[in-house]
Amino acid sequence: MSSNTVPAAPGARELTVRGVIIGGLITLVFTAANVYLGLKVGLTFATSIPAAVISMAILRYFRDHSVAENNIVQTIASAAGTLSAIIFVLPGLVMIGWWTGFPYWQTALVTALGGVLGVMYSIPLRRALVTGSDLPFPEGVAAAEVLRVGDSAEGVQENKRGLLVIVVGGLTSAGLALLAAMKVVAGSIERTFRVGSGGSMISASLSLALIGVGHLVGMTVGIAMIVGLVISFGVMLPLRTAGQIPAGGDLGEIVSGIFSSDVRFVGAGAMAIAAIWTLAKIALPIVRGVKEALAATRARHDGTEVPVSERDLSMRVVAWVTLASMLPIGLLLWLFVRHTPIAHHATGMVVVSILFVLLIGLAVAGVCGYMAGLIGASNSPISGVGILIVITAALLIKVVHGAQSSDQGDALIAYTLFTAAVVFGVATISNDNLQDLKTGQLVSATPWKQQVALIIGVLFGSVVIPPVLQLLNNSFGFAGAPGATDNALAAPQAALLSSLAKGVFGGDLDWGLLGLGVVIGAVVVIIDELLGRASSNRLRLPPLAVGMGMYLPMGLTLIIPIGALAGLVYDRWAARAADPESTKRLGTLAATGLIVGESLFGVALAGIVAATGKDEPLAVVGAGFTTVSEIIGVLLFAGMTLGLYLWAKRLSGAAMSRTGA
């Protein structure tokens, strides 16, 4: 058991009715906020930590509350909030004109079935990736720290200091985010520049939450992401833009457009081979995890006492639920296709789609769980996995259907997106659930109770997502969809994935870019293996992290390595302190606070944006203030980061002095 694990309190309340109700209410807010922000800017935020903070604030007023019960609340809200990433696929059906809105039961069922499968697949993965690996799971650890500091009875003074650090870190990051929303400081900085006959760009999001993520994931992942950045923005982007920038052309628009249309596909190819390699490496641990889970199930059935921390849902339940889910999934797919121009191929396509969901879903769950463990659910590039899901589904469906006539193209694209939506639900939930199960491990939660809570969270989210999507579709519409307004939501991932499906069926997808990425990823895999063997695994270059650095916008990935460096410097100082573990923990809590504050502010801002209908409801200055806001933003960003770490260092030193250490 980890030294940071909180012992379970005897008889502690865990899966309670009040916890489920509180989790459901938090879900309403977080899911709606995530749906709106995801469609607006293509990003969603992890809801675990904000949910944990809100849960603690509410449950304090009830008797007999516990860390385990708070953990259940954040688990429910986290599952539902993460499931909202289904919006990266479903709006594509409106964009291509197949749907005019979001049919409630179809949308709810495809979301729920994919989410429940994601929970089932994550159960054997818990043993392989959470208890049986050294993956950092940054947000899972951060959520556990929040719960521990906020509710643990041990080390009262230490917990007070820790809670103070979280609060100060949260107020710091929320304060900077508020100033950015007011436009007083810049939220990000971006510059494009010429490189020979081409161009490239440099950008950075002035997000203190990303500093916190970097601190938690560490330097190995940070360096790998820098390598990915150099490949994409230092090599690929200048090469792809060479000769593509006419005199007087908008350099910024051309460079960013080619990054989105070309370079990201190279990154997707690199992620594809890295994902396949990762799946191959974790295949044995997954099999071992399944065997251990089966053994635990048999032991419990025979009356043998199994530790609470090892009590997953029975593998018999997992198997039956997984197989039983195939029936409604098959019915849902058949109902989707039965009155379309491709209905005569319905049986073959539905059978292939069920096998696709069953097998590819498991592979995707493993890869997404690994990525979440490596870099965190918020920054794990689910849309990159979505690219692979849609391309694979489209190729299979194209083979099964055979030659297509002119009136069947849209039906094939729509069916592909609908099938991919189920697997996407598996991906999003697996991406987040293992973070939650890591939190549960660290607070000595009962796995099966948390897994039940995950299913409850999925059902809550499935109820909430369809009406929110319908409301946004009626109010704004989606860019490129029939009848879209000037204020239409961009839904960038849905637009990209529907374009990919069109490319497969239309025959104009650039396979060369994906192939180039595969080659680059294969080289990185070889380098990583050689480094690991030569250094006894002290030096690594995680291929998925390199692929993420290639695929994600630089604004997100550049700050994470900076946060990793800040964490390294702090931890090295902490190692020389009188109480290294306590001092290091304060740094972890400071990073946690940075994530908490910005996440909570994101929820509040989403509510304000939705209520006012304005893109920038808090702005107090105009575009003429941009240059000044960038200067102020950089100075405040650097000053707040440095100031917070120095303050945490002084706080730790003062505590050691008072205790006579």
Side-chain angles (χ1 to χ4, degrees), residues 580-603:
E581 286 301 317
S582 177
T583 305
K584 187 175 181 179
R585 183 166 175 263
L586 277 185
T588 300
L589 292 174
T592 299
L594 293 178
I595 299 172
V596 170
E598 192 168 312
S599 298
L600 289 177
F601 179 79
V603 175

Side-chain angles (χ1 to χ4, degrees), residues 172-185:
T172 301
S173 62
L176 185 63
L178 172 61
L179 292 175
M182 296 171 66
K183 300 299 179 182
V184 174
V185 305

Side-chain angles (χ1 to χ4, degrees), residues 176-177 179-181 183-189 204-207 555 629-630 633 637:
L176 185 63
L179 292 175
K183 300 299 179 182
V184 174
V185 305
S188 63
I189 295 177
S205 175
L206 301 181
S207 165
S629 72
E630 289 179 344
F637 178 76

Side-chain angles (χ1 to χ4, degrees), residues 2 10 30 48 85 103 121 131 139 147 170 209 211 274 316 335 374 388 465 505 521 527 532 543 586-587 598 613 647:
S2 167
F30 282 2
S48 304
Y121 285 154
T131 62
E139 288 158 358
L147 290 169
I211 291 289
R316 293 188 182 95
L335 290 173
L374 186 68
L388 304 178
I465 289 171
F505 290 108
I527 294 172
L586 277 185
E598 192 168 312
W647 175 74

